[in-house]
Amino acid sequence: MKATVQRDTKQAMIRGFKRSCPRCGKAYLFDGYLAVAKECSGCNLDLTPQRADDGPAYLTIIIVGHLLVPFLVPAYKIWDLQHAIVAIVFSTFAVVLSLVLLPRLKGALIGFQWAKQMHGF
């Protein structure tokens, strides 16, 4: 049985959330918006074993929903806004929040996978 090195999960997830390498924290984790780089340009960590798949999308949906849904009832009952205004405002917030959160949650998930030595990391 080979010995495994303990890695700091919290630090790796924070680095991933910042969209940087979970090991060194210096190089950018992505080649594009969501395309993960083949390897870290700072420490040469092989990033091909990551398997984020649909996890970040599900987390994004859950977080955005939990942040926006509590404001729907007050928008109709207390503030007495029209339906079209509510739809436009909440749709805009949902899209912007999703675009901001998705790559960060994917980076945090990759950091978690690296820290827990999953999928060959």
Side-chain angles (χ1 to χ4, degrees), residues 87-105:
I88 291 169
V89 169
F90 277 83
S91 298
T92 303
F93 276 124
V95 169
V96 169
L97 214 63
S98 297
L99 290 174
V100 169
L101 282 177
L102 188 57
R104 287 163 175 76
L105 291 175

Side-chain angles (χ1 to χ4, degrees), residues 1-5 117:
M1 215 161 96
K2 69 178 186 178
T4 58
V5 178
Q117 301 176 9

Side-chain angles (χ1 to χ4, degrees), residues 19-62:
R19 298 179 295 167
S20 59
C21 173
R23 181 162 68 183
C24 69
K26 296 176 183 167
Y28 196 59
L29 184 61
F30 298 105
D31 273 340
Y33 177 66
L34 286 177
V36 180
K38 300 266 187 248
E39 69 177 23
C40 174
S41 61
C43 65
N44 295 326
L45 173 66
D46 181 21
L47 295 168
T48 56
Q50 68 81 23
R51 298 286 178 260
D53 298 331
D54 293 335
Y58 293 137
L59 289 172
T60 300
I61 291 168
I62 290 169

